[in-house]
Amino acid sequence: MFSRHKVAQPTFQGAPVHTNHILPWVSFFLRPHRRLFAVLTVNRLFRMVFFVGIQPLLIAKMVQAFENGTAYANPSIMWNLMLTFAVLSSIVYVLIIVCTEEAKLGDRTSRSARLLGLAQLNRLSVQWHEESDSGGKLQKIMTGSIGLRQLIRSYFLNILSFIAGFIGSAIALVGMGLPLIYVAMFAGLMVTYIAAAWWSSIFVARGYDKQNQLLENLIGKVYEFVNASLTVKIFNLGDHVLAHAQEGEQTGYKQSSQIYTLDYCRWIGLNFIGLFWMLLITYVAITQTLSQTLSLTAFALVVYQVLKVWNMMEDFTSMYSEIIEQSSAFKRLTTLLAQHVQVTDIAATTPLKVENGAIEFRNVSFAYNAKHPVFEGLELNILPGEKVGIIGRSGSGKSTLIKLLLRFYDPVGNEIIIDRQNIRTVSQDSLRQNIAVIPQDVSLFNHSVMDNIRYGRLAATDDEVIQAAQLANADEFIRKLPAGYQTLVGEKGAKLSGGQCQRIAIARAILKDAPILILDEATSALDTHSEQLIQASLARLMGRKTVIAIAHRLSTIAALDRILVFDKGRIVEEGTHQSLLAQNGLYAKLWQSQTMHN
Ligand SMILES: Nc1ncnc2c1ncn2[C@@H]1O[C@H](COP(=O)(O)OP(=O)(O)OP(=O)(O)O)[C@@H](O)[C@H]1O
Ligand SMILES: [Mg+2]
């Protein structure tokens, strides 16, 4: 009956990104289902109010009718009460079917939350990703989404029951015409009880926050080790990893023990608050019955309500600890969702249009760490279609230059211009669509070779993929793999050689066919023979594109239009291969040492 409700699309529109408080986020995730939520709330309230209030009230009315004799004078009163009882009970039982939607709603919202968490990982900048470990990120999303699902279930099963219990009691007490003092006392119980539960929960919540943080750190660390299983084996780090994990588990255990102790102390305190009010209510009822201001039926009803509410409170107290735990878990995710995104598109963004492919760095300064700037006032002008080679010592900022061009980081207060468009004003998607990169460390997914190449352009046909592989000189080795193009390459391409991974990355770039091409040590893992084969196809790929090629092996860039020599974030020499040799500077020295080795 509610099948049209779907898992919501991940969108940040209207999301409370300025806060990590859970309530605005719960309400955000429930917004697409607000009608269903309202129906379910009313249904649950009705059920509980019926059981706690209306059912006992109808029975008390029957007893009262016998007690004061009206039942004997007019038996139809009894039959009417019985009929009401039967009809209402039937409705409540049929409506159980609606309750199945509560669990489904929790499930749907938690799935939406998981998708939004993933969308947030896509939005967050490279800097944030480089600073956070992958295991911890996933843990946040998983714990958080489960927390949300449980919170929604708790809302229906516990919080609403608790509220409905008091409404029901009030209805029963007022319905029997009992003095308002009883309603006031029940209200007093509720207010003091909730206030104490809320206040004490702050401490337990802190404990859970800390526990979740510890777990994320632990999983983040362990995940890194699991991810680097080869290094763990090479250096015999297995025992070290286990010891590390054990230490983490031990700290976690201490933390949860503290939470359990705190939680039980809290439970004792809350029970005493309950006991105080229960005794007070019973005392007043006994005194009034003794002085004959309260009828026997009314006394029985008060005692019954006292027991019922007492029961509910016990349930709620134990459930409330779970609610705190779930809130703390969900907060891990809301904190991720509210995380400031460092590199964002401006509001009036336009897509980048590359017609010529001119690239300009105007007075660019950048530092990962304020103490060690990578660039200070870098000026660089690359003409349309120019092929530029970059060489320089390790750590001189070559890859960083590329990261700035791709807008992984924003430099401070200066500009990078492509075809007269500042890259800050265009959308990041369009910027990256126009730049094909063969990176220094190729990352492959444990998917088929076919798919790995297709990630260069998702819409490409199988034939286009194969053609790109042929141009990258990869087709031959791919066909020899056990399942050809359908072979899974292993995590991070573990089942392929370094050179094979690079050829797949080259095929990807060929397939992408973007007007700007960047090669960061693209052929460093290839032997001389394969490199020569690929150089030919790379030369064809370069065509009229603007190219930036970074290389340590100078022979790979010697033929380019212009070569820049980087040192400590500055261009110290530039020119063609011949003119640089003639300058007899750093380039000439490097060239001599490399040709001597060959
Ligand atoms: N994410 C990062 N956070 C902090 N510092 C970084 C980061 N990436 C690089 N660096 C530092 O910035 C400097 C330039 O690094 P970059 O990777 O650009 O060098 P490179 O010229 O590409 O070196 P290589 O030839 O070894 O690839 C180095 O000192 C490096 O330690
Ligand atoms: Mg580099």
Side-chain angles (χ1 to χ4, degrees):
M1 96 184 105
F2 296 103
S3 55
R4 65 200 162 81
H5 291 279
K6 297 206 175 82
V7 175
Q9 281 266 345
T11 165
F12 279 89
Q13 210 173 6
V17 287
H18 52 277
T19 174
N20 69 349
H21 287 293
I22 62 163
L23 276 184
W25 280 101
V26 171
S27 129
F28 171 75
F29 283 113
L30 284 173
R31 207 171 300 154
H33 315 284
R34 51 183 173 273
R35 277 204 209 105
L36 175 65
F37 181 72
V39 170
L40 295 178
T41 300
V42 172
N43 175 58
R44 190 47 82 166
L45 277 178
F46 178 59
R47 276 177 68 75
M48 281 310 290
V49 168
F50 176 75
F51 286 122
V52 181
I54 300 175
Q55 215 176 41
L57 178 64
L58 290 172
I59 292 171
K61 288 266 179 210
M62 290 182 189
V63 178
Q64 196 181 35
F66 280 126
E67 199 182 23
N68 59 24
T70 46
Y72 303 102
N74 183 6
S76 67
I77 292 179
M78 300 308 283
W79 306 134
N80 283 343
L81 283 170
M82 230 185 105
L83 186 68
T84 316
F85 190 96
V87 171
L88 287 179
S89 300
S90 307
I91 294 175
V92 167
Y93 290 137
V94 170
L95 285 179
I96 287 179
I97 187 77
V98 180
C99 296
T100 58
E101 290 299 319
E102 292 170 359
K104 288 194 211 164
L105 180 65
D107 197 57
R108 261 196 305 258
T109 44
S110 103
R111 284 171 197 280
S112 302
R114 219 155 34 226
L115 287 176
L116 200 70
L118 196 59
Q120 173 72 340
L121 290 189
N122 284 339
R123 265 163 36 113
L124 283 164
S125 66
V126 171
Q127 182 176 359
W128 184 86
H129 281 283
E130 284 175 347
E131 282 163 7
S132 339
D133 41 46
S134 311
K137 293 174 204 169
L138 293 181
Q139 177 66 13
K140 266 192 218 315
I141 297 182
M142 294 314 291
T143 327
S145 62
I146 294 172
L148 175 62
R149 186 184 70 201
Q150 296 305 101
L151 262 182
I152 290 177
R153 293 209 64 169
S154 294
Y155 165 77
F156 288 117
L157 296 178
N158 306 312
I159 300 177
L160 280 186
S161 301
F162 190 62
I163 296 170
F166 283 95
I167 300 177
S169 296
I171 290 178
L173 300 175
V174 173
M176 279 301 285
L178 287 179
L180 278 182
I181 174 120
Y182 290 98
V183 178
M185 283 191 292
F186 273 96
L189 159 66
M190 188 169 171
V191 170
T192 46
Y193 188 86
I194 288 181
W198 177 79
W199 175 78
S200 57
S201 74
I202 296 173
F203 304 100
V204 185
R206 272 187 212 144
Y208 278 118
D209 286 347
K210 197 163 162 208
Q211 193 188 30
N212 277 319
Q213 181 65 54
L214 286 171
L215 191 64
E216 259 163 44
N217 294 349
L218 177 65
I219 290 185
K221 264 269 169 357
V222 171
Y223 178 93
E224 264 191 313
F225 282 127
V226 172
N227 216 12
S229 53
L230 208 66
T231 314
V232 170
K233 286 243 185 293
I234 291 173
F235 293 99
N236 269 335
L237 294 176
D239 288 342
H240 171 76
V241 174
L242 269 180
H244 190 86
Q246 199 213 349
E247 195 188 309
E249 297 289 11
Q250 185 60 30
T251 320
Y253 172 69
K254 270 192 210 146
Q255 179 63 21
S256 27
S257 306
Q258 269 178 17
I259 297 177
Y260 299 143
T261 314
L262 192 63
D263 203 27
Y264 274 91
C265 293
R266 194 175 145 267
W267 198 0
I268 295 171
L270 288 175
N271 273 342
F272 271 105
I273 292 179
L275 182 65
F276 164 77
W277 284 102
M278 294 306 173
L279 290 177
L280 185 68
I281 294 168
T282 318
Y283 171 78
V284 174
I286 292 175
T287 344
Q288 290 199 334
T289 314
L290 285 177
S291 65
Q292 303 203 331
T293 39
L294 202 65
S295 73
L296 264 183
T297 317
F299 177 76
L301 185 70
V302 169
V303 173
Y304 175 81
Q305 288 303 335
V306 164
L307 288 177
K308 195 94 188 173
V309 172
W310 178 263
N311 222 326
M312 261 169 24
M313 268 181 12
E314 280 262 300
D315 286 351
F316 185 74
T317 317
S318 63
M319 292 298 177
Y320 194 67
S321 307
E322 280 177 34
I323 294 173
I324 302 169
E325 191 178 352
Q326 292 151 3
S327 307
S328 161
F330 183 46
K331 199 159 184 177
R332 310 305 301 173
L333 179 57
T334 59
T335 306
L336 175 75
L337 293 174
Q339 177 73 41
H340 173 66
V341 180
Q342 283 147 324
V343 177
T344 48
D345 284 350
I346 58 162
T349 170
T350 48
L352 174 71
K353 282 197 206 75
V354 180
E355 278 161 11
N356 307 311
I359 302 171
E360 210 182 320
F361 281 69
R362 282 189 199 154
N363 189 26
V364 167
S365 300
F366 176 74
Y368 292 106
N369 163 348
K371 280 195 199 140
H372 305 285
V374 183
F375 299 120
E376 282 177 299
L378 177 76
E379 297 276 349
L380 172 62
N381 231 324
I382 300 176
L383 302 173
E386 195 181 10
K387 322 282 182 263
V388 174
I390 298 182
I391 65 149
R393 291 206 178 89
S394 179
S396 59
K398 303 179 300 293
S399 298
T400 305
L401 184 86
I402 306 307
K403 286 187 192 169
L404 294 182
L405 183 62
L406 288 164
R407 213 176 155 218
F408 288 166
Y409 292 83
D410 276 333
V412 241
N414 27 54
E415 293 170 343
I416 300 171
I417 315 281
I418 298 178
D419 277 356
R420 292 189 302 282
Q421 301 150 82
N422 189 328
I423 62 167
R424 276 180 204 252
T425 63
V426 301
S427 70
Q428 295 174 66
D429 282 353
S430 71
L431 172 70
R432 290 169 202 151
Q433 226 155 38
N434 279 292
I435 304 178
V437 185
I438 305 173
Q440 196 162 15
D441 23 64
V442 179
S443 73
L444 298 185
F445 303 97
N446 188 17
H447 303 164
S448 69
V449 176
M450 183 71 91
D451 283 346
N452 265 295
I453 299 178
R454 210 194 313 269
Y455 292 139
R457 177 157 55 87
L458 286 175
T461 63
D462 285 4
D463 284 344
E464 287 171 321
V465 170
I466 294 169
Q467 208 180 0
Q470 284 165 345
L471 286 172
N473 196 24
D475 181 68
E476 197 186 319
F477 90 78
I478 295 173
R479 288 191 193 277
K480 285 186 193 145
L481 294 173
Y485 276 87
Q486 295 311 322
T487 313
L488 301 182
V489 302
E491 205 172 40
K492 291 184 279 180
K495 293 195 207 159
L496 300 180
S497 76
Q500 289 170 338
C501 287
Q502 273 192 339
R503 276 179 275 178
I504 298 219
I506 293 170
R508 259 184 197 169
I510 291 175
L511 198 62
K512 185 164 180 182
D513 195 27
I516 296 170
L517 175 65
I518 290 169
L519 308 138
D520 192 351
E521 297 279 332
T523 54
S524 58
L526 299 180
D527 60 89
T528 323
H529 175 67
S530 318
E531 191 183 2
Q532 277 163 359
L533 284 175
I534 285 180
Q535 283 299 344
S537 56
L538 278 179
R540 229 173 305 138
L541 168 67
M542 289 182 190
R544 292 176 50 242
K545 298 178 198 302
T546 303
V547 178
I548 301 177
I550 297 171
H552 279 296
R553 220 186 301 170
L554 304 191
S555 58
T556 57
I557 53 165
L560 299 185
D561 300 337
R562 183 157 53 124
I563 295 163
L564 309 175
V565 183
F566 264 56
D567 195 28
K568 298 188 190 117
R570 285 181 309 120
I571 300 170
V572 290
E573 287 173 30
E574 67 176 298
T576 60
H577 173 67
Q578 289 306 335
S579 73
L580 285 172
L581 284 184
Q583 276 183 37
N584 206 13
L586 190 57
Y587 182 85
K589 261 192 224 132
L590 284 168
W591 179 258
Q592 274 153 16
S593 69
Q594 290 196 2
T595 41
M596 246 165 37
H597 287 303
N598 293 340

